[in-house]
Amino acid sequence: MAKTNDSIQHATDTTQQAHDSVAQFTPLYPDGIPAVQGNDSVVSHLADLPVMESPKGTASVTHSRGPLYDTSSMSLLLMSMFFIVVSFKRGYVYLENFAHNLFSVRRRRENAFDNHTMSDVRMMWALIFNTCVMEGLLLFYAVGHFVPSLWHGMLENVGLNVGALTAMCLGFHLCQHALYATLGYVFGDTVSRRLWISGFKASQSLLGLLLFPVTALLLLFPAAIELLLSIAAVLYALVRIVFVFKGLRIFFNKFSQSLYFILYLCSVEIVPLVIFAMLLVAICTQLQS
């Protein structure tokens, strides 16, 4: 019996010692096992993690606007090219006669080159329309460059401005044609008038072909506007000089007529161009108001 009591007492003491050891247990790492620096790049203290900085934005850059990004302007350009391609199949003869129409002053009443077929007329007007479109696009940049106050407003509605400028160029061409026809009728005969008008039509047709690469470069590289506009102005001047020289050979064959030639240059070639430029700026200003 005494042996049994000793066993019970020993078990009780053992249980008491285990309870005391559990009660007095203090964890070695109360905040968790620390990460070993340099051995694990993923497990680390929150304080050591990089803090994401607030994103710093830059000023917004406005998307380039101009005829190249305008559907109406590009449709107008593609339309002019389409007319040329469609008319070329049967109207290529008109292109072959460019040199004759530009320079020839041979006074023959029956001239095969003067008897234009319907295909030649269609080709001629396709080229003239192309010239007006090229001039309209170039003038869009020219007005914005030389009159900066209108540039922002013109960019707001590119198609309307390009269309208006193209229409003005076409109207200016028709006015010039009517003026030359009237002067040829008053101061010349039928053959002289026909030679002069054919030279004007040919020069206008050729001008669009010469301005096409300049216009394409200006659409792609508007930063080179000063150089490209200068080239376009030189090409326009050269074509006009060729036409004026042909008129000089037709109507002014005496040195005593030099005064009349000077009056012709001022009243027919220079003054209408100045009036057209002033009207151009006025209409562009009105469109932006």
Side-chain angles (χ1 to χ4, degrees):
M1 187 68 179
K3 185 177 180 178
T4 301
N5 292 334
D6 292 339
S7 298
I8 294 174
Q9 183 65 33
H10 177 72
T12 302
D13 294 340
T14 303
T15 303
Q16 184 65 32
Q17 291 177 0
H19 181 269
D20 294 340
S21 63
V22 171
Q24 296 176 2
F25 174 77
T26 302
L28 183 60
Y29 303 105
D31 297 329
I33 300 175
V36 180
Q37 299 294 334
N39 293 332
D40 193 346
S41 60
V42 177
V43 180
S44 59
H45 290 292
L46 293 178
D48 297 333
L49 291 176
V51 180
M52 184 181 68
E53 298 181 359
S54 301
K56 296 180 179 180
T58 58
S60 60
V61 179
T62 305
H63 189 274
S64 298
R65 290 180 295 177
L68 183 61
Y69 305 97
D70 181 69
T71 304
S72 301
S73 302
M74 289 298 98
S75 299
L76 194 63
L77 178 60
L78 293 176
M79 187 186 303
S80 67
M81 297 175 62
F82 175 76
F83 287 159
I84 294 176
V85 172
V86 171
S87 305
F88 182 78
K89 182 177 181 181
R90 296 184 178 181
Y92 67 92
V93 178
Y94 179 76
L95 296 176
E96 294 179 351
N97 298 329
F98 256 155
H100 173 83
N101 292 328
L102 280 174
F103 302 106
S104 178
V105 292
R106 298 181 62 180
R107 302 178 62 83
R108 296 187 300 178
R109 293 190 176 277
E110 295 296 333
N111 193 336
F113 294 108
D114 295 328
N115 298 324
H116 298 299
T117 64
M118 184 59 64
S119 299
D120 295 339
V121 173
R122 185 163 53 247
M123 185 67 190
M124 177 191 68
W125 279 109
L127 292 173
I128 291 176
F129 178 70
N130 175 71
T131 300
C132 295
V133 173
M134 297 300 112
E135 291 176 339
L137 291 170
L138 290 170
L139 288 175
F140 176 85
Y141 285 99
V143 172
H145 180 69
F146 293 106
V147 190
S149 59
L150 298 178
W151 181 239
H152 180 73
M154 295 175 69
L155 289 178
E156 294 297 329
N157 200 337
V158 178
L160 176 62
N161 287 275
V162 172
L165 293 173
T166 301
M168 289 187 62
C169 292
L170 181 59
F172 184 63
H173 168 81
L174 295 177
C175 291
Q176 283 183 310
H177 185 279
L179 179 60
Y180 294 140
T182 302
L183 293 176
Y185 178 80
V186 174
F187 298 102
D189 52 25
T190 303
V191 178
S192 299
R193 183 174 68 254
R194 185 169 59 243
L195 289 173
W196 200 28
I197 296 299
S198 65
F200 171 68
K201 293 177 180 178
S203 64
Q204 290 297 102
S205 302
L206 179 61
L207 180 60
L209 299 178
L210 296 177
L211 291 179
F212 178 78
V214 180
T215 305
L217 289 175
L218 186 56
L219 291 173
L220 296 173
F221 307 103
I225 182 172
E226 294 185 359
L227 174 61
L228 294 175
L229 287 180
S230 299
I231 296 175
V234 170
L235 291 176
Y236 179 84
L238 290 176
V239 171
R240 298 302 298 179
I241 288 173
V242 171
F243 169 67
V244 170
F245 182 70
K246 181 175 182 177
L248 178 64
R249 295 169 60 196
I250 294 174
F251 296 103
F252 305 98
N253 49 19
K254 296 180 180 180
F255 183 78
S256 58
Q257 296 177 334
S258 301
L259 178 60
Y260 296 103
F261 178 69
I262 295 175
L263 292 176
Y264 156 77
L265 287 179
C266 295
S267 60
V268 180
E269 298 296 335
I270 297 178
V271 173
L273 199 61
V274 174
I275 295 176
F276 175 74
M278 296 173 61
L279 185 62
L280 189 74
V281 175
I283 291 180
C284 289
T285 304
Q286 186 65 29
L287 289 176
Q288 315 323 313
S289 61

